[in-house]
Amino acid sequence: MTDLTIKRLNASQSDFDSALAKLLAWDDSVDHQVNESVRHILHEVKTRGDRAVLEFTEKFDRLSVGSVAELEMDNARLQQSLKAIPEDQRVALEQAAERVRDYHERQNQKSWQYEDADGTVLGQKVTPLDRAGLYVPGGKAAYPSSVLMNAIPAKVAGVGEVIMVVPTPDGVVNGMVLAAAAIAGVDRVFTIGGAQAVGALAYGTDTIPSVDKIVGPGNIFVATAKREVFGVVGIDMIAGPSEILVISDGKTDPDWIAMDLFSQAEHDEQAQSILISPDGAFLDAVEASIKRLLPTMERADIIRTSMADRAALIQVSDLKEAADVSNRVAPEHLELSVEDPEAMLEDIRHAGAIFMGRYTAEALGDYCAGPNHVLPTSGTARFSSPLGVYDFQKRSSLIGFSAVGADRMGRVASVLARGEGLTAHARSAEYRIKGGES
Amino acid sequence: MTDLTIKRLNASQSDFDSALAKLLAWDDSVDHQVNESVRHILHEVKTRGDRAVLEFTEKFDRLSVGSVAELEMDNARLQQSLKAIPEDQRVALEQAAERVRDYHERQNQKSWQYEDADGTVLGQKVTPLDRAGLYVPGGKAAYPSSVLMNAIPAKVAGVGEVIMVVPTPDGVVNGMVLAAAAIAGVDRVFTIGGAQAVGALAYGTDTIPSVDKIVGPGNIFVATAKREVFGVVGIDMIAGPSEILVISDGKTDPDWIAMDLFSQAEHDEQAQSILISPDGAFLDAVEASIKRLLPTMERADIIRTSMADRAALIQVSDLKEAADVSNRVAPEHLELSVEDPEAMLEDIRHAGAIFMGRYTAEALGDYCAGPNHVLPTSGTARFSSPLGVYDFQKRSSLIGFSAVGADRMGRVASVLARGEGLTAHARSAEYRIKGGES
């Protein structure tokens, strides 16, 4: 048994609101020095292009080459990685990719238009981005699943070119990441990373084309750089630490639930795992499982710190109250480990992904269920969505007035424009009124 | 005739690329002092709530009241404004609102789910935001149309509560803005503004509830505050100066085109108006119209500065090249003042809104065509979309594995998780494999 204290809360305690707020509090204040350093790197890449990219790659990744072109990995190299990895990994990646592609194809949006009684055409034209950049971390946090989850929606959306950047510090390459890039259909790969890679994708250099949007996870330098270039290009969300919230009716094997909580906790020390149940004895049982299983875990140290600092077992009066608490958390991952998860769905208002029923381990969603594993963290599920095909498409409004429509609506626009004191607007509309003269 | 020089470019000139880049260049660098001031205000509002809101409202709007509750305008007051404005304005607002509502209803997204062969359920659940905040500028730039364009999509999306903030410096109230709020169905109105209003909506105070997303235009303080609270709440885009790009085949009345260009230029000195045509004589004719009409304009000074500093007349070889140049600009507003605009549509890749044909003045779109007038500026149409119902809804992924599905996909997840060194993930999936033991 492990010596580990996990926070215990009860929704009926008088200070529950503030205890919950304290549990969820997460300091994402920006480090001033990181900011300065990132701004410097971005400025250099913006003004000196390839030269700056080479210098920073030599400095940070200890990789010395004569030109950025030498840092590009061609498709043959990707295919070679795909052949080189163990067959069970290749098959698993291909099966995962197929399910991810199948799910995301259902997110594809179509253009539409209609004509009103005056013959006026209105509509919405959907177009994919011309070019997307995908950041993939190198080193210890190299996740091939992340390549699939970021690249496939872009390809399904019809993005013209997907450009991946992945640092290879000291020349160390992750074969499974390259294999995933081959399977996902990534168009070009550059082995660069950090803020310099974000800068190169945002501003473009002689060798690296500028993109319209940059997606994918990264360390604090990458996240800060993405925040800085936002506006020049689009970005996906800036992710906080990963979280899971499990609601259980107390009838799932406690070991299963303990392991589900571990699967978040093992990501990093700041990850958050919360279990909510109306069954106090079940919370005890899961706590016992946690203590028994923890010493058997490969990443026990990370899990222990995460569980001690940020986990909680919360008792509620019923499943309805469990849903209420969950809505206040707006978790990234929500497991409904209950008899009838469909019945609970209506009460769930905010969650990145909802895992329904005892068999639906969150880990399945991370890899191969089909839906994306890039999800809103830190309560941002209140207003944002999983990464999807819609993140790689944009809409243009279509407006085509007939002469009749322009006459009729020109009068309305004229009144409103004059009401706002914008007379050029008014006169522009009035020209299109029959016999109109401004 | 006016003494005014408008830039003339030709797509065939050797330095066209750099000339175009220079024309479009827009410095949106953040003012350090504004930043500091905004951070101070946000910190005060976050920590001292209502008291800080009262102090800043007294300081900036010269409005002294005893409690924030006194700054709330109830629905009766809105209805009173609706009765008090001239009838033609009321009717015009109502007609505009109806068309805007009708168009946006077509953007409503539906939840969906499906079952695969293993009995595994996958889907996407769409829910509206609980609460949205709408910033409306007070004083000279008070636009009732902006209230309709921001509030109606939120209401159509099903947002539970739309809270509007609008400063009333020195107690000056804009009746048409309040009337628009009544028509759009805004739920609550507080007469506060500036960074303090953004802070109140983001963090909440005793009197003002926190919202999930803040939308709407504002000055540099408001824009900076929105950028700062992004992450705590969602925000819409940070708008740059307004732009129009007109492509003409040379057969539209030059006065109409001149007035269309003016309708952007009158917004502010930084607004940008660009005309592209293969017909050089037509560019001359429009220039003559501009010079003749300018002295007749109410906002001639603003228009003159905007046209002198940021406008351009660009000659191209044909309409195909016009579309290419337009795609590089990715304009907020694009007018296709040509014989067959539908035929050009396919070549247009990036634009906030596309106005098709000679009768479709951009001004009609600003007020009452139906589509939103909140559009991506400064080339961000390459990767972003008009404000829409989708901005007030978010998606949750649904995953429900059957026992059979968990068994089959658990094996795939296990291989991938072990490949990534995440063994808690692997074991969590393995528990759900038949006879599985971790």
Side-chain angles (χ1 to χ4, degrees), chain A residues 327-408:
Chain A
N327 285 334
R328 287 162 63 184
V329 176
E332 183 190 11
H333 304 99
L334 172 61
E335 258 186 44
L336 301 178
S337 202
V338 299
E339 202 55 43
D340 186 0
E342 288 273 356
M344 281 197 75
L345 262 192
E346 208 183 326
D347 291 331
I348 301 300
R349 295 192 49 77
H350 315 297
I354 304 171
F355 300 82
M356 301 186 291
R358 310 189 199 291
Y359 281 100
T360 312
E362 185 270 310
L364 293 174
D366 281 345
Y367 292 107
C368 51
N372 213 287
H373 78 191
V374 181
L375 298 167
T377 58
S378 306
T380 57
R382 286 180 295 117
F383 54 84
S384 50
S385 302
L387 187 73
V389 169
Y390 36 79
D391 288 304
F392 298 98
Q393 296 177 328
K394 49 1 184 241
R395 310 166 183 88
S396 302
S397 305
L398 296 180
I399 308 173
F401 273 101
S402 63
V404 177
D407 176 63
R408 216 158 65 85

Side-chain angles (χ1 to χ4, degrees), chain B residues 294-342:
Chain B
L294 182 56
T296 73
M297 302 308 299
E298 281 81 351
R299 295 162 76 96
D301 287 345
I302 295 173
I303 295 174
R304 184 195 315 274
T305 307
S306 161
M307 299 295 285
D309 292 353
R310 304 209 70 216
L313 307 172
I314 303 179
Q315 191 169 351
V316 288
S317 57
D318 53 27
L319 290 179
K320 176 87 182 162
E321 187 172 49
D324 289 346
V325 174
S326 174
N327 285 335
R328 287 163 63 185
V329 176
E332 182 190 11
H333 304 100
L334 172 61
E335 257 186 45
L336 301 179
S337 202
V338 299
E339 201 55 41
D340 186 1
E342 287 273 355

Side-chain angles (χ1 to χ4, degrees), chain A residues 286-328:
Chain A
V286 172
E287 186 167 0
S289 292
I290 288 171
K291 290 182 177 175
R292 181 170 43 78
L293 290 168
L294 180 56
T296 73
M297 303 306 300
E298 280 81 351
R299 294 162 77 97
D301 288 347
I302 296 174
I303 294 173
R304 184 196 314 273
T305 307
S306 161
M307 299 294 285
D309 291 353
R310 304 210 70 215
L313 307 172
I314 304 179
Q315 191 168 349
V316 289
S317 57
D318 54 26
L319 290 179
K320 177 86 182 163
E321 187 172 49
D324 289 346
V325 174
S326 174
N327 285 334
R328 287 162 63 184

Side-chain angles (χ1 to χ4, degrees), chain A residues 265-297:
Chain A
E266 76 172 340
H267 274 296
D268 63 75
E269 289 85 352
Q270 277 91 43
Q272 185 156 57
S273 307
I274 296 173
L275 169 62
I276 305 182
S277 179
D279 184 343
F282 181 72
L283 295 179
D284 295 337
V286 172
E287 186 167 0
S289 292
I290 288 171
K291 290 182 177 175
R292 181 170 43 78
L293 290 168
L294 180 56
T296 73
M297 303 306 300

Side-chain angles (χ1 to χ4, degrees), chain B residues 35-55:
Chain B
N35 250 344
E36 285 305 299
S37 165
V38 164
R39 270 185 209 149
H40 168 70
I41 294 170
L42 291 176
H43 176 78
E44 293 295 304
V45 171
K46 187 178 179 180
T47 52
R48 298 198 300 121
D50 281 347
R51 281 253 49 89
V53 170
L54 284 175
E55 287 167 21

